[in-house]
Amino acid sequence: MPQIDTLKPLATLFAALLFAVGLGGAAPVQAQDGSSPVLSVPSVEAEAGSGVDVPVEATGFNNVGAASLTITYDPSVVSFANGADTESPISGAPDGFQANVVEPGELRVNFFDQTGENPINFGTGTLFTVNFGSFEGGTSPVAFGADSQVNDPNRNALGTTFEDGAVSGQVGAVTAGTVEGAGLNQTVSVPLSADSIGNVGAASFEVEFDESVLAFEGVSGDESGLALQGDAEGGVVSIGGTDTDGATLEGEFVDLEFRFLGGSSEVTFAGGSEIVDATSSSTEIATNFSGGEVAGDSPTLSFPDRGVTAGDTISVPVQTTELQAIGSASVVVDFNPASLTFVGSEESLEGFQVGSPESGVVNVSGTSTEGADPSANGGRFANLQFTVESGLDPGETTPVGFDRAASEITNPDAERTLAYNTAFEDGQVQSTQTVPTLSVPSVEAEAGSGVDVPVEATDFNNVGAASLTITYDPGVVS
């Protein structure tokens, strides 16, 4: 038997033993930068009778001490030039990667850092390319096996996400649009578009979004021919429809309607998205899905920094930025009562009240059925007034901030009350009071005459009492 036939099973067995002895049993952890790796295979279009290269893309592929990947495919659709005897089924891999065709339909790719001190920090890009020698036509999934795993140098699984692709004579593309400049509490439309995917019998799309930024309202402008219907739960819009005669998805074929709550959110397709051929319900049309984004107003409440002196009464505005159409607000303000004493408020936004239910806390609350706009009040909710206590020493600071967990601002829609994605920015009150200085200058005098010696003062303010002792030489002056 040729030597290479013996080495391939041994290499596969060695990798399997490594993972069985410890690499595979560890609980998943995150990478050092707090993220987890993603390995994905795109859907690739190919011409029958030719070879085809399929990239394996990596994101956040760092601190990797070992990897054992199983990649499956349909050997009647794609194959390697020399089958199981193919010496180089992949190309472009980092040093230390080994690959072999275990049997038709299964490719194994392994990496192991035997030193335990030189993990791969690849980052993002094409980790390697699978080089199929022949494509016979049709469609073949190119998928990661359930036993695929990536580990750190300590044999802990890195919780890698694996995303499958395909090789096909026809590869479609579906894209979610991008919306910029969205207005707070406005409805935004995110179009889904395709590049002419024909003979579609059914389609199912799962679109993920940030629920703190967007609230799903429905689908509109359906030109797919599939009678698409959709609903959302847990930050995922599920849309589906069918056409037994075979529809064509081309251009913008449906809009996803969202209420915009502030900030920005990616709009991406989840792994459950698929398009099925009308001729055979079991035949999936290979499709690449690309996400978009919605961004616009970023509603913010903030306090400015203030310079003060002990005994001052100061006015601290509750400032707003890109915040309008307020239906209700419940804002909790925290401060240190040893440094500040709340004494009242002024210039409050109409319909909103300010109160202090306990020491160190101020509540700003109220409602507006029409939707209040702070820009009509100089961009403020209110001006909070505090007395600065003597316990705030010169140079010291004390915060005036928000209790974020207890604060909420909503839209004015009574039928569907939604919380805005509001950012809260704290402020600082700093004592700029300086220490009084008293000084006596040197004075020139004539012997035998009287002399006036001034006592100079600097920053001699807010003084309630003073006791000074001045010494002199009675043999010189008297």
Side-chain angles (χ1 to χ4, degrees):
M1 178 181 295
Q3 185 180 30
I4 191 169
D5 291 336
T6 303
L7 292 176
K8 286 179 180 176
L10 287 175
T12 301
L13 177 61
F14 177 62
L17 286 172
L18 286 173
F19 277 80
V21 168
L23 297 180
V29 298
Q30 289 187 322
Q32 287 180 330
D33 63 358
S35 63
S36 294
V38 177
L39 291 179
S40 61
V41 177
S43 292
V44 176
E45 189 169 316
E47 183 177 348
S50 65
V52 56
D53 296 332
V54 179
V56 174
E57 303 290 348
T59 302
F61 200 77
N62 297 312
N63 196 38
V64 174
S68 177
L69 308 176
T70 299
I71 298 176
T72 62
Y73 58 93
D74 184 345
S76 67
V77 177
V78 288
S79 59
F80 294 98
N82 296 317
D85 294 327
T86 302
E87 294 188 20
S88 301
I90 67 171
S91 61
D95 291 343
F97 274 69
Q98 296 180 342
N100 67 290
V101 181
V102 178
E103 60 182 2
E106 183 177 330
L107 172 68
R108 292 282 181 87
V109 181
N110 299 304
F111 166 78
F112 181 67
D113 173 27
Q114 298 185 37
T115 68
E117 299 177 353
N118 297 301
I120 291 178
N121 289 297
F122 180 82
T124 298
T126 301
L127 186 63
F128 58 85
T129 300
V130 180
N131 308 119
F132 291 109
S134 177
F135 170 61
E136 302 301 328
T139 299
S140 169
V142 181
F144 291 98
D147 59 346
S148 295
Q149 188 164 298
V150 179
N151 296 74
D152 70 10
N154 296 320
R155 303 183 179 182
N156 298 309
L158 284 174
T160 305
T161 298
F162 297 97
E163 299 175 351
D164 302 334
V167 175
S168 179
Q170 177 192 3
V171 175
V174 174
T175 303
T178 290
V179 177
E180 297 178 346
L184 191 65
N185 201 40
Q186 300 300 307
T187 296
V188 296
S189 298
V190 178
L192 302 187
S193 59
D195 64 346
S196 189
I197 306 174
N199 202 38
V200 176
S204 176
F205 306 110
E206 293 186 357
V207 182
E208 297 176 325
F209 63 96
D210 186 339
E211 288 186 291
S212 69
V213 177
L214 300 172
F216 181 68
E217 295 188 328
V219 297
S220 66
D222 181 11
E223 298 181 1
S224 66
L226 300 171
L228 293 171
Q229 296 183 352
D231 199 0
E233 183 177 358
V236 179
V237 179
S238 298
I239 313 166
T242 61
D243 181 3
T244 55
D245 295 328
T248 297
L249 300 182
E250 186 170 14
E252 295 182 0
F253 60 86
V254 72
D255 288 326
L256 308 184
E257 305 285 347
F258 296 96
R259 185 75 63 89
F260 181 67
L261 305 177
S264 64
S265 170
E266 292 183 343
V267 181
T268 59
F269 291 93
S273 301
E274 65 176 6
I275 300 174
V276 177
D277 192 281
T279 305
S280 172
S281 61
S282 63
T283 302
E284 183 178 344
I285 299 175
T287 307
N288 288 319
F289 296 93
S290 301
E293 183 182 21
V294 177
D297 289 345
S298 297
T300 304
L301 254 64
S302 63
F303 285 115
D305 294 337
R306 281 283 188 266
V308 299
T309 58
D312 286 352
T313 295
I314 61 171
S315 183
V316 182
V318 185
Q319 299 178 153
T320 68
T321 305
E322 296 185 343
L323 181 60
Q324 62 273 343
I326 300 172
S328 70
S330 178
V331 178
V332 179
V333 178
D334 293 328
F335 62 93
N336 184 357
S339 300
L340 301 172
T341 298
F342 178 71
V343 295
S345 65
E346 60 182 2
E347 299 181 3
S348 298
L349 186 63
E350 184 177 357
F352 293 81
Q353 300 78 42
V354 178
S356 180
E358 59 183 285
S359 179
V361 176
V362 173
N363 288 342
V364 181
S365 61
T367 60
S368 172
T369 57
E370 301 298 323
D373 187 352
S375 66
N377 193 45
R380 301 182 302 269
F381 254 116
N383 289 328
L384 308 184
Q385 294 178 309
F386 298 93
T387 297
V388 182
E389 299 299 327
S390 59
L392 188 63
D393 294 332
E396 287 188 342
T397 62
T398 186
V400 178
F402 298 95
D403 184 338
R404 289 158 176 77
S407 298
E408 183 179 74
I409 300 175
T410 71
N411 69 340
D413 190 341
E415 296 181 358
R416 192 183 187 193
T417 301
L418 299 168
Y420 290 143
N421 183 33
T422 308
F424 296 93
E425 298 177 357
D426 300 339
Q428 296 283 341
V429 172
Q430 181 176 22
S431 174
T432 57
Q433 179 180 351
T434 56
V435 178
T437 302
L438 296 177
S439 61
V440 176
S442 296
V443 176
E444 185 175 325
E446 184 177 348
S449 64
V451 58
D452 296 331
V453 180
V455 177
E456 305 286 351
T458 303
D459 295 319
F460 200 74
N461 302 310
N462 198 36
V463 177
S467 177
L468 309 177
T469 299
I470 300 175
T471 63
Y472 58 94
D473 185 346
V476 177
V477 291
S478 59

